[in-house]
Amino acid sequence: MPTYSYEHAGKAAGCKLGPAFEVEQPIREAALARCPECGRAVRRVITPGFGIAAPKSNADLKGLGFTKLVKRGDGNYENVTAIDGESRIVKRGDARTLPHLRKKIRD
Ligand SMILES: [Zn+2]
């Protein structure tokens, strides 16, 4: 399954996923219109080095501080770049399962 990069169309302040995030989804599935975490508008971005052109491994993304979500059959997302203390499964509306953005900001 290809991985797509998304960014919030407007302010992402307060969103646990940060300004940009990645989602692995079936190629036939429509681009997400809303952030799976905060519900605000997002747009798919094609960035050299990211997305379908040159997929990065989950470990690479993790090292770069990206959060990558993989949608599961039950409608929840799996955080495949989860770091220590983060839940692997992101359940909308359950704050305990959201990625901890602050741990990933290094500067
Ligand atoms: Zn968001």
Side-chain angles (χ1 to χ4, degrees):
M1 249 189 284
T3 300
Y4 298 98
S5 300
Y6 287 90
E7 65 182 18
H8 289 82
K11 286 192 170 119
C15 181
K16 302 288 195 303
L17 298 183
F21 57 93
E22 306 236 323
V23 179
E24 187 177 301
Q25 60 183 149
I27 199 153
R28 285 188 299 272
E29 193 170 283
L32 297 181
R34 302 264 157 207
C35 173
E37 201 279 296
C38 69
R40 280 176 284 194
V42 294
R43 61 178 165 238
R44 191 184 271 180
V45 289
I46 305 300
T47 309
F50 282 99
I52 54 177
K56 287 198 184 307
S57 72
N58 293 344
D60 286 343
L61 289 169
K62 195 168 165 177
L64 290 168
F66 272 81
T67 297
K68 178 176 163 184
L69 302 179
V70 178
K71 194 173 188 181
R72 291 155 25 114
D74 59 6
N76 289 316
Y77 287 84
E78 181 174 358
N79 180 359
V80 296
T81 48
I83 55 176
D84 288 347
E86 284 188 331
S87 171
R88 290 280 295 185
I89 305 303
V90 177
K91 289 189 183 135
R92 186 134 183 227
D94 185 347
R96 290 167 307 170
T97 67
L98 296 174
H100 302 307
L101 181 63
R102 238 169 285 156
K103 281 189 183 172
K104 297 187 177 187
I105 297 175
R106 297 198 172 87
D107 55 3

XYZ file of all heavy atoms in Angstrom:
815
model
N 0.845 -1.199 0.000
C 0.000 0.000 0.000
C 0.875 1.241 0.000
O 1.825 1.312 0.769
C -0.875 0.019 1.261
C -2.334 -0.194 0.957
S -3.374 0.099 2.395
C -3.079 -1.379 3.353
N 0.576 2.200 -0.850
C 1.390 3.422 -0.860
C 1.139 4.295 0.364
O 0.082 4.211 0.987
C 0.939 4.150 -2.130
C -0.420 3.621 -2.427
C -0.474 2.228 -1.852
N 2.114 5.102 0.660
C 2.006 6.036 1.775
C 1.896 7.447 1.210
O 2.655 7.818 0.333
C 3.251 5.946 2.676
O 3.341 4.618 3.180
C 3.157 6.906 3.835
N 0.967 8.185 1.695
C 0.747 9.543 1.211
C 1.040 10.538 2.320
O 0.794 10.276 3.487
C -0.702 9.723 0.748
C -1.068 8.827 -0.407
C -1.735 7.640 -0.185
C -0.722 9.176 -1.704
C -2.066 6.803 -1.237
C -1.048 8.354 -2.766
C -1.716 7.157 -2.525
O -2.032 6.338 -3.562
N 1.576 11.671 1.887
C 1.824 12.754 2.839
C 0.649 13.724 2.808
O 0.114 14.029 1.741
C 3.100 13.511 2.447
O 4.205 12.644 2.446
N 0.298 14.171 3.950
C -0.772 15.166 4.062
C -0.278 16.319 4.903
O 0.585 16.168 5.754
C -2.002 14.573 4.759
C -2.766 13.601 3.909
C -2.455 12.254 3.934
C -3.781 14.035 3.078
C -3.143 11.353 3.151
C -4.481 13.141 2.291
C -4.165 11.807 2.330
O -4.845 10.919 1.551
N -0.868 17.474 4.641
C -0.622 18.600 5.529
C -1.945 19.287 5.799
O -2.866 19.220 4.989
C 0.383 19.585 4.927
C -0.119 20.255 3.666
C 0.918 21.196 3.067
O 2.097 21.093 3.406
O 0.511 22.025 2.238
N -2.028 19.907 6.953
C -3.236 20.657 7.275
C -3.339 21.850 6.336
O -2.347 22.522 6.052
C -3.188 21.141 8.725
C -3.341 20.032 9.721
N -2.294 19.238 10.109
C -4.434 19.564 10.375
C -2.736 18.338 10.976
N -4.031 18.507 11.163
N -4.539 22.096 5.848
C -4.739 23.214 4.927
C -4.590 24.545 5.657
O -4.161 25.536 5.081
C -6.117 23.117 4.282
N -4.933 24.545 6.895
C -4.806 25.776 7.676
C -3.948 25.537 8.886
O -2.982 24.781 8.824
N -4.290 26.138 9.972
C -3.507 25.980 11.190
C -3.674 24.572 11.754
O -4.773 24.028 11.774
C -3.970 27.000 12.224
C -3.503 28.403 11.887
C -3.720 29.347 13.074
C -3.043 30.677 12.841
N -3.946 31.798 12.817
N -2.580 24.025 12.189
C -2.620 22.693 12.785
C -2.416 22.792 14.285
O -2.222 21.785 14.952
C -1.545 21.811 12.166
N -2.457 23.984 14.796
C -2.198 24.181 16.227
C -3.094 23.274 17.055
O -4.292 23.202 16.828
C -2.431 25.632 16.612
N -2.466 22.573 17.959
C -3.242 21.708 18.837
C -3.416 20.303 18.315
O -3.806 19.416 19.053
N -3.130 20.097 17.019
C -3.292 18.749 16.481
C -2.095 17.903 16.878
O -0.953 18.298 16.676
C -3.433 18.762 14.964
S -3.653 17.090 14.306
N -2.374 16.731 17.423
C -1.297 15.873 17.923
C -0.449 15.299 16.796
O 0.639 14.794 17.031
C -1.884 14.725 18.746
C -2.723 15.189 19.918
C -1.838 15.773 21.016
C -2.594 15.898 22.339
N -3.800 16.704 22.245
N -0.950 15.334 15.578
C -0.178 14.772 14.470
C 0.846 15.762 13.931
O 1.697 15.411 13.128
C -1.107 14.352 13.331
C -2.127 13.264 13.672
C -2.931 12.902 12.445
C -1.445 12.042 14.244
N 0.756 17.022 14.338
C 1.669 18.029 13.830
C 1.167 18.570 12.508
O 0.127 18.154 12.013
N 1.911 19.498 11.898
C 1.459 20.134 10.654
C 1.313 19.141 9.507
O 0.423 19.262 8.686
C 2.565 21.148 10.337
C 3.394 21.249 11.560
C 3.187 20.017 12.386
N 2.214 18.164 9.450
C 2.187 17.193 8.355
C 2.263 15.792 8.921
O 2.835 15.570 9.981
C 3.355 17.436 7.400
N 1.673 14.856 8.203
C 1.689 13.466 8.664
C 1.541 12.570 7.443
O 1.314 13.036 6.340
C 0.573 13.215 9.690
C -0.808 13.542 9.189
C -1.595 12.565 8.610
C -1.295 14.831 9.287
C -2.865 12.872 8.143
C -2.567 15.150 8.825
C -3.353 14.163 8.242
N 1.723 11.295 7.649
C 1.652 10.354 6.550
C 0.581 9.321 6.828
O 0.374 8.925 7.960
C 2.993 9.629 6.406
C 4.160 10.582 6.279
C 4.950 10.335 5.026
O 5.106 9.163 4.648
O 5.389 11.302 4.407
N -0.066 8.888 5.773
C -1.102 7.870 5.914
C -0.893 6.819 4.832
O -0.713 7.150 3.655
C -2.522 8.463 5.767
C -3.575 7.368 5.887
C -2.765 9.541 6.807
N -0.872 5.578 5.261
C -0.808 4.485 4.297
C -2.233 4.100 3.953
O -3.029 3.832 4.846
C -0.067 3.310 4.934
C 0.201 2.179 3.963
C 0.995 1.069 4.637
O 2.109 1.354 5.120
O 0.510 -0.060 4.685
N -2.561 4.121 2.677
C -3.934 3.806 2.303
C -3.962 3.176 0.921
O -3.035 3.359 0.130
C -4.816 5.060 2.371
C -4.359 6.184 1.462
C -5.208 7.444 1.613
O -4.717 8.529 1.439
N -6.480 7.292 1.923
N -5.010 2.423 0.634
C -5.120 1.779 -0.668
C -5.091 2.817 -1.789
O -5.603 3.917 -1.633
C -6.484 1.085 -0.625
C -6.805 0.961 0.829
C -6.156 2.141 1.495
N -4.470 2.438 -2.911
C -4.283 3.401 -3.997
C -5.622 3.877 -4.560
O -5.735 4.991 -5.059
C -3.387 2.787 -5.092
C -2.798 3.881 -5.979
C -4.123 1.725 -5.906
C -1.483 3.496 -6.624
N -6.642 3.060 -4.458
C -7.947 3.453 -5.006
C -8.764 4.299 -4.039
O -9.771 4.861 -4.404
C -8.765 2.200 -5.377
C -8.278 1.529 -6.649
C -9.225 0.421 -7.070
N -9.321 -0.601 -6.047
C -8.495 -1.650 -5.957
N -7.558 -1.829 -6.869
N -8.617 -2.534 -5.000
N -8.313 4.366 -2.802
C -9.068 5.134 -1.824
C -8.862 6.631 -2.074
O -7.765 7.071 -2.390
C -8.581 4.776 -0.418
C -9.498 5.269 0.689
C -9.097 4.671 2.040
O -9.403 3.501 2.285
O -8.455 5.383 2.826
N -9.933 7.387 -1.940
C -9.847 8.829 -2.163
C -8.934 9.480 -1.134
O -8.772 8.978 -0.026
C -11.236 9.447 -2.076
N -8.328 10.595 -1.528
C -7.485 11.344 -0.602
C -8.316 11.789 0.595
O -9.495 12.110 0.461
C -6.897 12.563 -1.297
N -7.684 11.765 1.747
C -8.383 12.231 2.940
C -8.689 13.718 2.793
O -7.884 14.471 2.270
C -7.509 12.043 4.185
C -7.123 10.626 4.584
C -6.280 10.669 5.847
C -8.346 9.766 4.782
N -9.843 14.115 3.238
C -10.208 15.529 3.227
C -10.079 16.121 4.625
O -9.928 17.323 4.788
C -11.631 15.714 2.720
N -10.113 15.226 5.603
C -10.098 15.678 7.000
C -9.010 14.940 7.759
O -8.764 13.760 7.521
C -11.435 15.364 7.677
C -12.617 15.976 6.988
C -13.010 17.299 7.644
N -13.742 18.128 6.705
C -13.776 19.456 6.748
N -13.083 20.097 7.655
N -14.458 20.143 5.881
N -8.399 15.634 8.673
C -7.400 15.023 9.534
C -8.076 13.967 10.410
O -9.121 14.228 11.001
C -6.767 16.101 10.414
S -5.659 15.440 11.669
N -7.506 12.757 10.460
C -8.126 11.717 11.289
C -8.060 12.031 12.777
O -8.758 11.422 13.571
C -7.316 10.457 10.963
C -6.050 10.938 10.350
C -6.344 12.275 9.721
N -7.222 12.967 13.146
C -7.095 13.290 14.573
C -7.957 14.491 14.951
O -8.789 14.405 15.844
C -5.627 13.558 14.913
C -5.320 13.411 16.389
C -5.687 14.643 17.197
O -5.100 15.704 16.985
O -6.599 14.541 18.037
N -7.775 15.620 14.274
C -8.483 16.840 14.707
C -9.690 17.151 13.832
O -10.500 18.001 14.184
C -7.521 18.031 14.736
S -6.964 18.575 13.100
N -9.814 16.472 12.685
C -11.004 16.664 11.861
C -10.965 17.906 10.986
O -11.905 18.177 10.253
N -9.851 18.643 11.025
C -9.767 19.834 10.180
C -9.323 19.450 8.768
O -8.829 18.347 8.539
C -8.803 20.850 10.792
C -9.475 21.642 11.922
C -8.499 22.587 12.594
N -7.613 21.837 13.488
C -6.836 22.408 14.407
N -6.822 23.700 14.549
N -6.061 21.675 15.172
N -9.489 20.377 7.838
C -9.196 20.103 6.429
C -7.709 19.816 6.223
O -6.845 20.469 6.803
C -9.618 21.294 5.583
N -7.432 18.799 5.409
C -6.052 18.483 5.055
C -5.974 18.330 3.540
O -6.984 18.145 2.872
C -5.555 17.179 5.715
C -5.489 17.331 7.226
C -6.437 16.003 5.336
N -4.756 18.420 3.008
C -4.564 18.169 1.588
C -3.382 17.227 1.422
O -2.420 17.253 2.201
C -4.345 19.470 0.816
C -3.133 20.241 1.266
C -2.919 21.509 0.447
N -1.972 22.382 1.139
C -2.234 23.634 1.516
N -3.379 24.182 1.226
N -1.329 24.330 2.158
N -3.484 16.414 0.387
C -2.409 15.482 0.083
C -1.281 16.272 -0.578
O -1.530 17.113 -1.425
C -2.927 14.407 -0.865
C -1.984 13.253 -1.051
C -2.545 12.296 -2.064
N -3.408 11.291 -1.437
C -4.015 10.328 -2.129
N -3.883 10.256 -3.432
N -4.762 9.450 -1.520
N -0.077 16.019 -0.179
C 1.065 16.717 -0.772
C 2.032 15.703 -1.359
O 2.253 14.633 -0.798
C 1.810 17.605 0.259
C 0.967 18.812 0.618
C 2.170 16.827 1.495
N 2.550 16.031 -2.497
C 3.572 15.197 -3.118
C 4.903 15.898 -2.911
O 5.166 16.955 -3.453
C 3.302 15.025 -4.629
C 1.900 14.485 -4.845
C 4.355 14.125 -5.251
C 1.635 13.130 -4.212
N 5.718 15.294 -2.089
C 7.005 15.893 -1.741
C 8.114 14.975 -2.229
O 8.078 13.787 -1.945
C 7.119 16.040 -0.208
O 5.946 16.692 0.269
C 8.339 16.837 0.170
N 9.077 15.505 -2.967
C 10.184 14.640 -3.386
C 10.807 13.954 -2.180
O 11.093 14.602 -1.177
C 11.170 15.618 -4.028
C 10.328 16.781 -4.443
C 9.218 16.885 -3.416
N 11.003 12.677 -2.301
C 11.587 11.949 -1.178
C 10.551 11.341 -0.258
O 10.861 10.543 0.588
N 9.312 11.729 -0.461
C 8.250 11.154 0.364
C 7.176 10.585 -0.542
O 7.188 10.776 -1.743
C 7.643 12.217 1.285
C 8.504 12.505 2.468
C 9.330 13.597 2.457
C 8.508 11.658 3.557
C 10.145 13.864 3.540
C 9.316 11.917 4.649
C 10.134 13.030 4.637
N 6.251 9.921 0.088
C 5.098 9.436 -0.651
C 5.434 8.307 -1.589
O 6.360 7.545 -1.365
N 4.684 8.196 -2.664
C 4.778 7.010 -3.486
C 6.052 6.962 -4.322
O 6.464 5.906 -4.745
C 3.553 6.872 -4.420
C 3.358 8.138 -5.250
C 2.309 6.592 -3.610
C 2.208 8.023 -6.230
N 6.698 8.115 -4.554
C 7.885 8.122 -5.401
C 9.049 7.391 -4.727
O 9.734 6.598 -5.351
C 8.287 9.547 -5.743
N 9.272 7.671 -3.497
C 10.397 7.061 -2.788
C 9.973 6.771 -1.357
O 10.221 7.555 -0.463
C 11.610 8.002 -2.809
N 9.304 5.654 -1.169
C 8.818 5.357 0.176
C 9.957 5.230 1.176
O 11.010 4.676 0.850
C 8.097 4.013 0.023
C 8.130 3.683 -1.412
C 9.056 4.614 -2.114
N 9.739 5.760 2.320
C 10.724 5.607 3.385
C 10.239 4.504 4.314
O 9.049 4.252 4.419
C 10.849 6.917 4.164
C 11.578 8.006 3.402
C 12.038 9.088 4.357
C 12.703 10.259 3.655
N 13.786 9.903 2.763
N 11.176 3.891 4.949
C 10.782 2.857 5.902
C 10.156 3.511 7.127
O 10.362 4.697 7.386
C 12.001 2.040 6.320
O 12.815 2.822 7.168
N 9.410 2.739 7.857
C 8.798 3.270 9.064
C 9.854 3.785 10.027
O 9.680 4.787 10.696
C 7.951 2.192 9.742
C 6.743 1.824 8.895
O 6.378 2.556 7.981
N 6.144 0.703 9.196
N 10.993 3.094 10.054
C 12.063 3.511 10.962
C 12.631 4.865 10.542
O 12.940 5.709 11.376
C 13.168 2.463 10.994
N 12.761 5.070 9.207
C 13.249 6.364 8.718
C 12.305 7.484 9.137
O 12.722 8.539 9.613
C 13.345 6.366 7.185
C 14.520 5.544 6.686
O 15.424 5.248 7.499
O 14.537 5.217 5.494
N 11.024 7.238 8.913
C 10.028 8.257 9.237
C 10.069 8.587 10.719
O 10.013 9.734 11.124
C 8.633 7.753 8.857
C 8.369 7.662 7.360
C 7.080 6.903 7.098
C 8.301 9.045 6.735
N 10.195 7.544 11.504
C 10.251 7.700 12.953
C 11.438 8.575 13.328
O 11.338 9.480 14.139
C 10.382 6.314 13.567
C 10.111 6.210 15.025
C 9.993 4.724 15.357
C 10.074 4.469 16.827
N 9.879 3.029 17.087
N 12.583 8.309 12.679
C 13.786 9.073 12.967
C 13.641 10.533 12.592
O 14.256 11.409 13.181
N 12.830 10.787 11.566
C 12.623 12.160 11.109
C 11.555 12.872 11.933
O 11.268 14.032 11.722
C 12.189 12.161 9.633
C 13.274 11.745 8.636
C 12.684 11.490 7.272
C 14.351 12.817 8.558
N 10.951 12.135 12.840
C 9.937 12.754 13.686
C 8.556 12.731 13.073
O 7.642 13.379 13.561
N 8.403 12.000 11.977
C 7.093 11.903 11.353
C 6.229 10.878 12.075
O 6.735 9.917 12.657
C 7.225 11.453 9.895
C 7.409 12.594 8.945
C 8.654 13.160 8.780
C 6.345 13.098 8.221
C 8.844 14.222 7.905
C 6.517 14.149 7.356
C 7.766 14.714 7.189
N 4.960 11.114 11.960
C 3.999 10.130 12.438
C 3.361 9.492 11.220
O 2.926 10.173 10.315
C 2.909 10.812 13.290
O 3.523 11.373 14.436
C 1.853 9.800 13.718
N 3.365 8.184 11.162
C 2.721 7.497 10.054
C 1.585 6.640 10.602
O 1.773 5.857 11.526
C 3.741 6.617 9.325
C 3.120 5.838 8.171
C 4.201 5.074 7.422
C 3.591 3.994 6.557
N 4.631 3.187 5.896
N 0.432 6.821 9.979
C -0.744 6.076 10.417
C -1.165 5.105 9.333
O -1.088 5.412 8.152
C -1.903 7.029 10.693
C -1.656 8.117 11.737
C -2.890 8.989 11.867
C -1.285 7.519 13.072
N -1.568 3.941 9.730
C -2.093 2.955 8.795
C -3.512 2.630 9.222
O -3.751 2.235 10.364
C -1.225 1.678 8.804
C -1.809 0.643 7.855
C 0.210 2.008 8.416
N -4.421 2.836 8.280
C -5.828 2.592 8.613
C -6.081 1.098 8.679
O -5.653 0.341 7.821
C -6.725 3.234 7.562
C -8.173 3.332 7.994
C -8.966 4.124 6.980
C -10.373 4.401 7.471
N -11.140 5.142 6.463
N -6.763 0.685 9.706
C -7.081 -0.720 9.856
C -8.522 -0.987 9.453
O -9.319 -0.068 9.305
C -6.873 -1.136 11.314
C -5.398 -1.143 11.705
C -5.184 -0.955 13.203
N -6.303 -1.370 13.997
C -6.276 -2.412 14.846
N -5.201 -3.119 14.983
N -7.332 -2.706 15.569
N -8.833 -2.235 9.321
C -10.166 -2.622 8.896
C -11.282 -2.171 9.826
O -12.410 -1.982 9.398
N -10.942 -1.964 11.086
C -11.981 -1.582 12.036
C -12.197 -0.073 12.080
O -12.946 0.430 12.914
C -11.649 -2.114 13.430
C -10.312 -1.599 13.962
O -9.704 -0.738 13.302
O -9.891 -2.046 15.028
N -11.503 0.653 11.182
C -11.712 2.099 11.115
C -10.766 2.896 11.988
O -10.663 4.094 11.853
N -10.021 2.217 12.847
C -9.022 2.909 13.647
C -7.713 2.971 12.871
O -7.537 2.291 11.874
C -8.809 2.193 14.979
C -10.002 2.362 15.905
O -10.537 3.463 16.042
N -10.431 1.273 16.518
N -6.801 3.788 13.347
C -5.505 3.923 12.703
C -4.439 3.328 13.589
O -4.488 3.477 14.810
C -5.177 5.398 12.439
C -5.991 5.998 11.321
C -7.259 6.485 11.554
C -5.482 6.061 10.025
C -8.018 7.027 10.529
C -6.227 6.603 9.006
C -7.489 7.088 9.250
O -8.227 7.617 8.236
N -3.475 2.690 12.943
C -2.334 2.194 13.695
C -1.177 3.153 13.501
O -0.856 3.532 12.375
C -1.935 0.800 13.199
C -0.755 0.249 13.989
C -0.419 -1.196 13.612
O -1.136 -1.761 12.775
O 0.560 -1.712 14.162
N -0.571 3.571 14.583
C 0.592 4.451 14.524
C 1.830 3.573 14.396
O 2.360 3.075 15.372
C 0.643 5.308 15.797
C 1.829 6.251 15.813
O 2.641 6.271 14.875
N 1.944 7.034 16.856
N 2.295 3.385 13.145
C 3.406 2.463 12.912
C 4.752 3.096 13.253
O 5.776 2.450 13.180
C 3.419 1.942 11.455
C 2.170 1.116 11.169
C 3.563 3.075 10.458
N 4.751 4.379 13.594
C 5.986 5.027 14.023
C 5.927 5.333 15.518
O 6.616 6.218 16.001
C 6.215 6.341 13.233
O 5.010 7.107 13.244
C 6.609 6.054 11.793
N 5.108 4.581 16.212
C 4.955 4.826 17.650
C 6.291 4.738 18.371
O 7.105 3.859 18.094
C 3.977 3.818 18.248
N 6.509 5.674 19.258
C 7.720 5.645 20.070
C 7.333 5.182 21.466
O 6.158 4.992 21.755
C 8.408 7.033 20.125
C 7.420 8.101 20.607
C 8.951 7.383 18.757
C 8.060 9.470 20.769
N 8.328 5.020 22.309
C 8.060 4.536 23.663
C 6.951 5.338 24.321
O 6.991 6.562 24.327
C 9.325 4.633 24.526
C 10.352 3.593 24.106
O 9.994 2.687 23.347
O 11.505 3.710 24.545
N 5.997 4.660 24.862
C 4.932 5.335 25.585
C 3.739 5.696 24.728
O 2.714 6.096 25.245
N 3.893 5.574 23.411
C 2.770 5.881 22.541
C 1.955 4.626 22.266
O 2.493 3.535 22.170
C 3.255 6.437 21.179
C 3.722 7.856 21.241
C 4.012 8.417 19.853
O 4.372 7.655 18.946
O 3.864 9.624 19.683
N 0.681 4.848 22.095
C -0.191 3.739 21.749
C -0.024 3.416 20.273
O 0.147 4.292 19.446
C -1.644 4.119 22.025
O -2.508 3.140 21.507
N -0.061 2.136 19.941
C 0.035 1.756 18.535
C -1.265 2.043 17.805
O -1.278 2.248 16.606
C 0.338 0.255 18.411
C 1.735 -0.114 18.847
C 2.784 0.167 17.810
N 2.635 -0.648 16.602
C 3.494 -0.651 15.602
N 4.564 0.095 15.651
N 3.298 -1.413 14.554
N -2.330 1.998 18.520
C -3.629 2.187 17.883
C -4.180 3.563 18.242
O -4.245 3.917 19.412
C -4.629 1.102 18.336
C -4.052 -0.291 18.078
C -5.980 1.275 17.645
C -3.672 -0.562 16.632
N -4.512 4.338 17.220
C -5.055 5.673 17.437
C -6.571 5.585 17.335
O -7.109 5.254 16.295
C -4.522 6.666 16.378
C -5.154 8.039 16.582
C -3.001 6.742 16.454
N -7.218 5.860 18.422
C -8.682 5.848 18.413
C -9.167 7.269 18.504
O -8.834 7.990 19.437
C -9.218 5.047 19.606
C -8.979 3.568 19.467
C -9.718 2.806 20.549
C -9.416 1.321 20.450
N -9.127 0.705 21.712
N -9.923 7.662 17.526
C -10.421 9.025 17.501
C -11.220 9.290 18.774
O -12.069 8.493 19.149
C -11.309 9.212 16.276
C -11.726 10.636 16.129
C -11.566 11.096 14.706
N -11.925 12.502 14.677
C -12.718 13.038 13.781
N -13.177 12.308 12.812
N -13.004 14.311 13.826
N -10.886 10.389 19.401
C -11.633 10.766 20.590
C -11.059 10.184 21.870
O -11.524 10.493 22.952
N -10.043 9.337 21.739
C -9.404 8.781 22.929
C -8.000 9.366 23.020
O -7.068 8.891 22.381
C -9.346 7.249 22.831
C -8.791 6.627 24.106
O -8.228 7.366 24.942
O -8.918 5.400 24.266
N -7.861 10.406 23.806
C -6.606 11.165 23.852
C -5.422 10.310 24.285
O -4.286 10.587 23.916
C -6.744 12.362 24.790
N -5.680 9.271 25.045
C -4.568 8.433 25.531
C -3.880 7.700 24.395
O -2.752 7.251 24.531
C -5.081 7.417 26.547
C -5.493 8.047 27.865
C -6.265 7.044 28.680
N -7.364 6.501 27.897
C -8.120 5.471 28.259
N -7.867 4.847 29.381
N -9.112 5.062 27.500
N -4.569 7.535 23.259
C -3.996 6.760 22.170
C -3.307 7.643 21.138
O -2.732 7.140 20.187
C -5.086 5.945 21.446
O -5.972 6.840 20.770
C -5.861 5.085 22.415
N -3.375 8.963 21.302
C -2.810 9.853 20.285
C -1.293 9.924 20.399
O -0.744 9.782 21.483
C -3.402 11.255 20.440
C -4.911 11.320 20.201
C -5.420 12.719 20.531
C -5.244 10.958 18.767
N -0.631 10.159 19.254
C 0.827 10.296 19.309
C 1.236 11.480 20.194
O 0.509 12.460 20.273
C 1.208 10.591 17.857
C 0.044 10.169 17.032
C -1.176 10.312 17.905
N 2.372 11.348 20.838
C 2.872 12.435 21.686
C 3.802 13.302 20.859
O 4.984 13.022 20.755
C 3.640 11.872 22.886
C 2.810 10.951 23.728
N 1.589 11.321 24.221
C 3.025 9.687 24.134
C 1.095 10.304 24.928
N 1.930 9.310 24.869
N 3.264 14.338 20.281
C 4.046 15.181 19.388
C 5.230 15.809 20.096
O 6.312 15.901 19.558
C 3.150 16.273 18.791
C 3.853 17.216 17.827
C 4.344 16.437 16.610
C 2.923 18.336 17.409
N 5.021 16.233 21.296
C 6.060 16.994 21.986
C 7.352 16.186 22.146
O 8.441 16.733 22.134
C 5.557 17.444 23.355
C 5.620 18.953 23.509
C 4.881 19.408 24.738
N 3.443 19.355 24.531
C 2.554 19.255 25.531
N 2.952 19.173 26.762
N 1.275 19.228 25.276
N 7.245 14.903 22.277
C 8.430 14.068 22.434
C 9.289 14.056 21.185
O 10.435 13.649 21.218
C 8.011 12.628 22.728
C 7.621 12.398 24.145
C 7.450 10.914 24.366
C 6.970 10.625 25.782
N 6.633 9.221 25.938
N 8.694 14.426 20.045
C 9.405 14.310 18.784
C 10.068 15.604 18.364
O 10.791 15.637 17.387
C 8.441 13.851 17.689
C 7.880 12.477 17.986
C 7.076 11.976 16.818
C 6.581 10.573 17.116
N 5.939 9.981 15.971
N 9.762 16.682 19.019
C 10.357 17.970 18.634
C 11.689 18.094 19.338
O 11.768 18.070 20.554
C 9.405 19.123 18.984
C 8.125 18.987 18.184
C 10.087 20.468 18.700
C 7.062 20.006 18.543
N 12.731 18.221 18.550
C 14.072 18.183 19.133
C 14.730 19.545 19.192
O 15.761 19.687 19.804
C 14.954 17.239 18.321
C 14.448 15.805 18.345
C 15.530 14.849 17.934
N 15.094 13.473 18.143
C 14.418 12.789 17.250
N 14.133 13.316 16.089
N 14.023 11.555 17.498
N 14.207 20.532 18.511
C 14.890 21.824 18.564
C 13.925 22.961 18.826
O 12.805 22.737 19.223
C 15.687 22.076 17.290
C 14.826 21.960 16.049
O 13.606 21.743 16.223
O 15.346 22.089 14.944
Zn -5.075 17.360 12.607
